[in-house]
Amino acid sequence: MRALVTGGAGYIGSHLVLALLEAGHQVVVVDDLSNGHLEALRRVEELAGRPCSLIVGDVADRPKMVSALHGVDVVLHLAAFKAVGESMTNPERYFRNNTGGLASLLESMVDAGVSRLIYSSTAAVYGEGSLMPLTEQTPPGPDSPYGASKLLGEQMLQWMCRCRDLRAVSLRYFNPVGAHPSGRIGEHARTPSNLVPRVLMALTGDVPALTVFGADYDTPDGTCLRDYIHIQDLVAAHMVAIGLLERPGYHLYNVGTGRPSSVREVLDAARRVTGRAVPFVDGPRRAGDVPETVADPSRFRQDLGFEAKRDLDEMVRDAWRWWTQNPGGYPE
Ligand code: WQD
């Protein structure tokens, strides 16, 4: 099978490209390298012992995409902006890139005769006040332009599957964390804002201390609860979802563990795994945070037998290995 992965030089994309190569598939990556890293793909090829193709460009570049899509069996669309806070100050950039980019990609797919798509969606389509755990039937109500841009993408895909012969699966990611166990690839955000990368930076002294954004929430220990899922489990979910594309129509799955962890529990896991206490200070709540986000993963388990296997300690252990073996991430 020939797979095209948009955003394949990014954190999730690079781990997915590795799994596809290891499964024997041919892989074409389209990435504008605004967030992705060439070094990540070089290491992916090294780990897989096989090459992948890279086309540097924007998914909205119609001629380039129609050419890239030649002979492709399935598209995995991960290229997107994903910073909730940034989307609040620059919503038009998120709708242009995330929603507009998907619309353009769909046009290119129609032109190229490619009709199978896996779409990277997000738990950010849900809003504050949604009842936990979150199922695929929980009414969405995004609290940010980022979440809205992704929800609009889901709705576009539903129409494309209804009006064209497109077959699509939307995967709503919860909180991806961790790294490939080799320690050769991992998360390298140029401006890290997520919890686990910031914990690692506090542990290695890249920042003096982690700021815990709020310890006064109505949760067992006062800090926010999230559904962290190991990147390798998230990648496994994509490999399972590809099999779904044999069936016509549109499919939607929440991809989480169903096991929430608080910020304090992540700090405890980091101490267990590294033997070091994470230096932290309690700070004010972060705008836009909700007290709890946790998936009900039962539909994916019932339909396809998928279940995330790795626990929080393994997530932190693999993230720590990546960060200590690659201080500062990938060389530019
Ligand atoms: C997790 C918890 C913070 C940093 C975001 C996106 C989501 C998805 C994953 C794309 C929160 C707390 C964090 C820090 C802290 N991305 N925290 N100190 O916000 O749940 O989800 O990333 O799909 O769409 O919204 O993840 O890791 O930023 O925060 O206390 O320095 O850690 O308040 O409670 P989040 P996060």
Side-chain angles (χ1 to χ4, degrees), residues 242-263:
I242 289 173
L244 258 177
L245 295 172
E246 294 311 307
R247 305 180 201 167
Y250 176 75
H251 312 275
L252 168 66
Y253 291 100
N254 285 356
V255 188
T257 66
R259 300 185 297 273
S261 301
S262 72
V263 176

Side-chain angles (χ1 to χ4, degrees), residues 84 122 146 175 193-195 211-213 224 226 228 286 289:
V84 168
T122 171
Y146 162 65
N175 286 59
S193 64
N194 290 139
L195 178 63
T211 300
V212 174
F213 294 142
C224 293
R226 294 291 182 273
Y228 299 100
R286 181 176 67 175
D289 274 341

Side-chain angles (χ1 to χ4, degrees), residues 1-3 17 19-27 50-51 239 242:
M1 181 188 74
R2 187 176 180 83
V17 169
L20 289 164
L21 289 172
E22 288 176 331
H25 300 304
Q26 294 174 337
V27 179
R50 295 182 57 222
M239 303 303 284
I242 289 173

Side-chain angles (χ1 to χ4, degrees), residues 157-174:
L157 293 179
Q158 291 180 62
W159 279 109
M160 287 296 290
C161 291
R162 185 167 160 185
C163 303
R164 292 273 190 190
D165 66 355
L166 182 73
R167 299 176 177 194
V169 182
S170 290
L171 298 177
R172 286 178 179 167
Y173 303 169
F174 278 67

Side-chain angles (χ1 to χ4, degrees), residues 37-270:
H37 299 268
L38 269 179
E39 177 65 11
L41 286 180
R42 194 192 65 73
R43 295 186 186 187
V44 161
E45 292 182 320
E46 181 187 278
L47 286 165
R50 295 182 57 222
C52 67
S53 310
L54 169 64
I55 297 169
V56 178
D58 187 329
V59 295
D61 182 331
R62 296 285 310 286
K64 183 172 282 191
M65 286 307 298
V66 172
S67 168
L69 285 160
H70 181 70
V72 165
D73 301 299
V74 60
V75 174
L76 298 105
H77 180 45
L78 280 65
F81 297 151
K82 70 158 187 104
V84 168
E86 182 186 59
S87 78
M88 300 298 282
T89 58
N90 210 326
E92 68 282 1
R93 188 165 175 263
Y94 273 68
F95 290 116
R96 171 99 178 81
N97 187 66
N98 293 0
T99 313
L102 175 60
S104 180
L105 173 63
L106 290 169
E107 287 185 292
S108 299
M109 287 176 68
V110 169
D111 289 351
V114 178
S115 60
R116 286 165 168 71
L117 176 79
I118 304 282
Y119 174 61
S120 165
S121 190
T122 171
V125 302
Y126 298 108
E128 183 159 6
S130 299
L131 288 178
M132 296 297 144
L134 296 163
T135 74
E136 292 81 1
Q137 290 75 35
T138 302
D143 292 323
S144 69
Y146 162 65
S149 74
K150 285 291 191 174
L151 180 62
L152 287 167
E154 292 184 7
Q155 293 163 352
M156 286 158 54
L157 293 179
Q158 291 180 62
W159 279 109
M160 287 296 290
C161 291
R162 185 167 160 185
C163 303
R164 292 273 190 190
D165 66 355
L166 182 73
R167 299 176 177 194
V169 182
S170 290
L171 298 177
R172 286 178 179 167
Y173 303 169
F174 278 67
N175 286 59
V177 297
H180 187 265
S182 67
R184 296 287 293 147
I185 57 175
E187 183 173 10
H188 174 183
R190 291 189 168 88
T191 51
S193 64
N194 290 139
L195 178 63
V196 171
R198 303 289 298 178
V199 165
L200 301 178
M201 292 170 73
L203 282 168
T204 52
D206 295 302
V207 294
L210 174 87
T211 300
V212 174
F213 294 142
D216 60 349
Y217 286 97
D218 182 17
T219 61
D221 65 17
T223 63
C224 293
L225 292 158
R226 294 291 182 273
D227 189 329
Y228 299 100
I229 181 169
H230 196 293
I231 185 73
Q232 293 296 94
D233 281 326
L234 182 64
V235 164
H238 287 74
M239 303 303 284
V240 169
I242 289 173
L244 258 177
L245 295 172
E246 294 311 307
R247 305 180 201 167
Y250 176 75
H251 312 275
L252 168 66
Y253 291 100
N254 285 356
V255 188
T257 66
R259 300 185 297 273
S261 301
S262 72
V263 176
R264 292 258 190 273
E265 288 169 324
V266 172
L267 300 185
D268 291 345

